[in-house]
Amino acid sequence: MQVRKRGEVPLAFVHTYGCQQNVADSEKIKGMLEKMGFAFTDTPENADFILFNTCAVREHAEDRVFGNVGALKNIKRRFPGVIIALCGCMMEQEHVAQRIHDSYPFVNLLFGTHQICNFPQLLFTCITDSTRVFARGGEEQDKEIAENLPIHRDGKTKAWLTVMYGCDNFCSYCVVPYVRGRERSRTPKAVQAEFEGLVRQGYKDITLLGQNVNSYGKKPDCGVNFAQLLKRLDAVPGDYRIRFMTSHPKDCTHELLDVMAAGKHIAHHLHLPFQSGNDRVLKEMNRHYDRAKYLELIAYARSVMPDLSLTSDVIVGFPGETYEEFKDTVSLIEKVGFTSLFTFIFSPREGTRAEKMPDPIPAEEKSRWFQELCAAQEQIAAKRCASAVGTVQRVLVEEKNPKTGLLTGRTGGNVVVDFPGEESLCGTFQMVKITAARNWILTGELCG
Ligand code: SAM
Ligand code: SF4
């Protein structure tokens, strides 16, 4: 097998499915590709190397991957030298790897989440031995986190910074602990060095990533918990904003909320997934908090940050959930008033506890509940947005929208604001007076 030549530089096409952790992983893989001499293309037909970084969290995401991989067969037929590779969470599942092996013979390379740092070697073997390479598992090697991998960041203003890998929580519906392995934290020194580098390079919106950032530092015991890490990073001088995700309510502390409130650079935005507003369902989900504890956290957070913007994840139709229990979720969102919600219908995942639970509610019924929840949230979001009219917000300008000609940016609360202005303002913070709200998008004008 040979990489086909296209001028001097081979081209790679990398497509990422799923969460920000996958985006961050793809940036590392792209960093390695760049070091190997690749440039990037947005058109798979032009590429010498095609990679899909996949997501296993819901069945729908998996189906899309299988569909899109199937479509690559045509490209392979037209350009037999192209190397097709798959990586990410889906590939850590035995049944997926087997299906790719048996039914997608044009896939040359498959590697899982624990094999990312071995990617250059795997690709080298694939090219030089003209053989299919399948590399999965290998969690043992993750005990030492591979530091200093090259990173090709997609943005110039926003950056992702992984502080911890894996998850130990085993929520009963979730496949993540099986495909990303046990929780492990980077050292505070390594995190701080990367963070300072990002600030020096001019990144303005830095998101600290982990499946449960609140358990940062527990494994290995690095003597610094997440609140303390955040405080250290916030002390780095510069003009930037810090966010973090995801927080798990069971480990979210007043100490963390106090650090946010006192911080100079920390956005008053908390993504705190509650999943369900009903205590029985939360117990079945193995979430280790109840509705009262969640509401207590929110009340404390708002008492120290009255301008706090809250976002969350919710699952509708968990096995055995009744309509009355679902209504507790609706009442919780009405009580809290989230800025926005990521809403999901339960998707059974192979190997999880919830997959085996009796699930009598038909899909159409769950779909109706889902619509009901979305409609309730739309009203809440519209009301919250409307309450911002007349306020002045510090907005990070992201881009000029070619369709509207307006600048688009985000507030600290992660709400989109459109306003007229020069393209040269992209990548800077601007004070914007909010003049109107349309559903969940604000419009405004630059302050003098
Ligand atoms: N670690 C984060 C946490 O605990 O909140 C979230 C990780 S997961 C990638 C993102 C969201 O996907 C979860 O918060 C949950 O709402 C949703 N999710 C996970 N497994 C799911 C499943 N089997 N069916 C439907 N939604 C699911
Ligand atoms: Fe999945 Fe729960 Fe871990 Fe989040 S905390 S990744 S939902 S197991």
Side-chain angles (χ1 to χ4, degrees), residues 42-107:
D42 292 333
T43 314
E45 284 78 5
N46 290 343
D48 303 281
F49 176 74
I50 297 176
L51 175 72
F52 286 174
N53 187 1
T54 63
C55 169
V57 170
R58 281 168 297 277
E59 196 178 359
H60 178 65
E62 287 200 355
D63 291 345
R64 268 178 52 215
V65 169
F66 279 120
N68 294 346
V69 174
L72 293 177
K73 194 173 172 183
N74 258 330
I75 295 184
K76 187 75 171 185
R77 198 178 306 128
R78 282 160 55 210
F79 308 106
V82 66
I83 294 176
I84 295 181
L86 304 176
C87 69
C89 293
M90 260 174 90
M91 302 307 138
E92 283 297 344
Q93 301 176 103
E94 177 71 42
H95 67 279
V96 172
Q98 196 60 51
R99 180 166 162 195
I100 297 290
H101 184 272
D102 298 345
S103 309
Y104 299 81
F106 52 89
V107 172

Side-chain angles (χ1 to χ4, degrees), residues 19 55-59 167 169 171 173-176 210-212 246-249 271-275 287 312-316 342-349 352:
C19 68
C55 169
V57 170
R58 281 168 297 277
E59 196 178 359
C167 181
N169 290 312
C171 299
Y173 50 81
C174 186
V175 77
V176 170
Q211 292 300 340
N212 175 9
T246 299
S247 278
H248 192 307
H271 183 68
L272 194 64
F274 69 92
Q275 313 297 359
R287 290 288 288 180
S312 196
D313 295 350
V314 192
I315 297 178
V316 173
F342 295 91
T343 42
F344 309 106
I345 294 183
F346 169 75
S347 169
R349 305 285 60 214
T352 61

Side-chain angles (χ1 to χ4, degrees), residues 13 55 69 130 193 208 286 349 368 408:
F13 170 87
C55 169
V69 174
S130 293
L208 311 179
N286 197 31
R349 305 285 60 214
R368 273 195 293 276
T408 289

Side-chain angles (χ1 to χ4, degrees), residues 21 24 28 142-149 151 153 160-166 183-195 198 207-210 215-226 229 232-233:
Q21 185 55 58
K28 291 200 180 85
D142 288 340
K143 287 199 179 89
E144 289 282 315
I145 292 175
E147 290 292 352
N148 301 318
L149 294 178
I151 302 179
R153 296 192 192 271
W160 311 108
L161 195 171
T162 306
V163 299
M164 60 181 300
Y165 296 89
E183 212 167 83
R184 52 218 181 268
S185 300
R186 293 176 69 191
T187 63
K189 199 170 154 208
V191 172
Q192 183 152 351
E194 185 173 342
F195 186 84
L198 290 171
T207 304
L208 311 179
L209 289 180
S215 54
Y216 172 84
K218 287 185 185 161
K219 269 175 60 182
D221 182 5
C222 42
V224 175
N225 67 22
F226 184 65
L229 177 77
R232 275 192 195 183
L233 300 180

